[in-house]
Amino acid sequence: MDIREKMDKKYQEALSTYLKDQNEQALYQGQKISRLNIKYNISPEEIISMHKNNLMALYPDLPTKVVDSFDFLLEVMMGYGIAYREHQSLRHQQQELKSEIEIAAKVQHTLLETKIPEIKNLDVGVISVPARQMNGDYYHFVEDELGCIGIGIADVIGKGIPAALCMSMIKYAMDSLPEHRHEPKSVLESLNRVVEHNVDPSMFITMFYGLYNPHDKRFTFASAGHEPGFYYDASAGTFSDLDAKGLLLGVDKKTKYKQYEKFVKPGDMIILLSDGVTECRTSDGFIERETLIEFIKKNMHLQPQEIVNNLYKQLEKMQNFQLRDDFTLMIFKANV
């Protein structure tokens, strides 16, 4: 006796018992049969056919219309069975993909992880939150042989896995630069050649790179089309844009970048960010840069890490706790 014959016999016994007693114990037998049907891959339409045949065996005088109704139900369940199996297959594939993305996100986090250094004369605050599991933003710190600190922040135009792969490539390229090649314009020109050669033409990367020299307190910087940051001049009590012109990475391998500099005085602040900060969308539209400055002003009495944490919570709340883009914010505050 094959498995389907055994199941048919079990079904007939359970159906007969239920129609006779109609109690909870009889219904429980039906649940056990249901689990066995799943275990042995017996389709919904086979169960309908089994039910019809066993009911006719138990009650040979069933009205013709009742018998015929099972044929209709059988056709309905055949279509349902096909759709159900496709649904289960898609769910299984989705679960596999979700698991793979979770692993990839953990690997990416490990690959892109960078230690926030202790910088002489500067307190540092950093927050970077992906809109999805994979981050299309990247920030980087590196110390050269002279004790100068290189600070990079990059953003792929796009989100998800392709953006994350691009960021991993930027990280590798950054780590491959010689220690004496951390001058901002040279860094961007080197990375630009890497991106132009290796990244799909439809993808572009913006990047801001700065170098802080703790000996003369000079901050040198260059930008490849990145969102301008802010500079707070404590003596004047004013904010200005860290506006550095430059073409996005990957557009033209011969691009040259212009370098700028500022001398950081006690109380001054350097604010670097990705466009996920300035393009925070509320019910009234995108927030203005002036609004962001006002938020910073209200928190200026705090340490940089507290400032970035507070700003993130405020902007997240304004977006109903749904980030639409990767969010990265860095604040450097000169010791008084």
Side-chain angles (χ1 to χ4, degrees), residues 20-292:
K20 179 181 178 182
D21 300 328
Q22 296 185 18
N23 55 33
E24 291 294 326
Q25 185 61 32
L27 281 174
Y28 177 68
Q29 291 300 317
Q31 293 175 8
K32 289 175 65 177
I33 290 174
S34 178
R35 288 192 287 270
L36 287 171
N37 284 330
I38 294 172
K39 179 180 178 180
Y40 295 115
N41 293 318
I42 295 176
S43 66
E45 56 266 26
E46 288 180 281
I47 297 172
I48 297 295
S49 181
M50 192 185 301
H51 183 87
K52 173 188 174 183
N53 293 334
N54 283 304
L55 195 61
M56 290 176 65
L58 291 170
Y59 302 99
D61 298 326
L62 275 177
T64 303
K65 290 188 181 296
V66 174
V67 175
D68 292 343
S69 72
F70 283 104
D71 294 331
F72 177 79
L73 181 58
L74 184 61
E75 289 297 320
V76 171
M77 293 308 295
M78 285 178 66
Y80 170 80
I82 293 170
Y84 179 76
R85 285 190 289 273
E86 289 177 350
H87 174 70
Q88 290 296 93
S89 177
L90 287 172
R91 280 190 62 187
H92 180 69
Q93 293 175 30
Q94 186 181 46
Q95 190 60 42
E96 285 186 336
L97 182 60
K98 182 181 178 182
S99 177
E100 289 176 2
I101 290 174
E102 287 175 353
I103 293 170
K106 290 177 182 177
V107 171
Q108 188 209 23
H109 178 75
T110 302
L111 286 174
L112 300 187
E113 192 171 15
T114 182
K115 184 179 179 181
I116 299 175
E118 292 186 8
I119 307 176
K120 185 180 179 181
N121 305 317
L122 284 184
D123 295 322
V124 184
V126 179
I127 189 168
S128 186
V129 182
R132 300 178 185 173
Q133 285 179 286
M134 307 289 280
N135 203 337
D137 284 356
Y138 166 62
Y139 67 91
H140 177 90
F141 295 98
V142 62
E143 185 174 1
D144 68 14
E145 71 282 1
L146 300 175
C148 297
I149 305 296
I151 303 161
I153 179 170
D155 182 9
V156 176
I157 298 177
K159 293 186 280 292
I161 294 175
L165 291 174
C166 281
M167 283 298 96
S168 299
M169 183 198 66
I170 288 290
K171 159 71 171 173
Y172 176 78
M174 290 288 294
D175 289 342
S176 301
L177 290 173
E179 286 192 357
H180 64 280
R181 291 288 306 280
H182 287 153
E183 190 178 39
K185 65 178 182 180
S186 299
V187 169
L188 292 184
E189 287 164 10
S190 296
L191 293 176
N192 179 60
R193 289 190 290 271
V194 172
V195 172
E196 196 278 335
H197 184 69
N198 293 282
V199 176
D200 187 274
S202 65
M203 296 191 72
F204 299 102
I205 300 171
T206 71
M207 187 168 186
F208 181 100
Y209 193 83
L211 185 69
Y212 177 70
N213 187 329
H215 308 296
D216 60 10
K217 300 180 182 179
R218 179 166 46 117
F219 182 64
T220 310
F221 58 96
S223 176
H226 194 76
E227 181 74 23
F230 300 103
Y231 190 89
Y232 173 68
D233 186 324
S235 60
T238 58
F239 283 84
S240 60
D241 287 348
L242 276 177
D243 201 3
K245 304 297 183 183
L247 200 61
L248 284 71
L249 299 180
V251 177
D252 181 358
K253 64 181 178 182
K254 296 181 181 179
T255 299
K256 297 295 181 182
Y257 293 93
K258 189 176 179 181
Q259 200 159 275
Y260 306 80
E261 68 178 26
K262 281 187 175 291
F263 287 91
V264 183
K265 303 180 296 297
D268 287 3
M269 291 196 301
I270 300 166
I271 299 110
L272 306 180
L273 41 84
S274 65
D275 60 10
V277 179
T278 53
E279 292 182 5
C280 166
R281 182 183 287 276
T282 68
S283 56
D284 298 323
F286 292 121
I287 67 166
E288 301 291 335
R289 287 172 67 85
E290 289 74 16
T291 304
L292 186 59

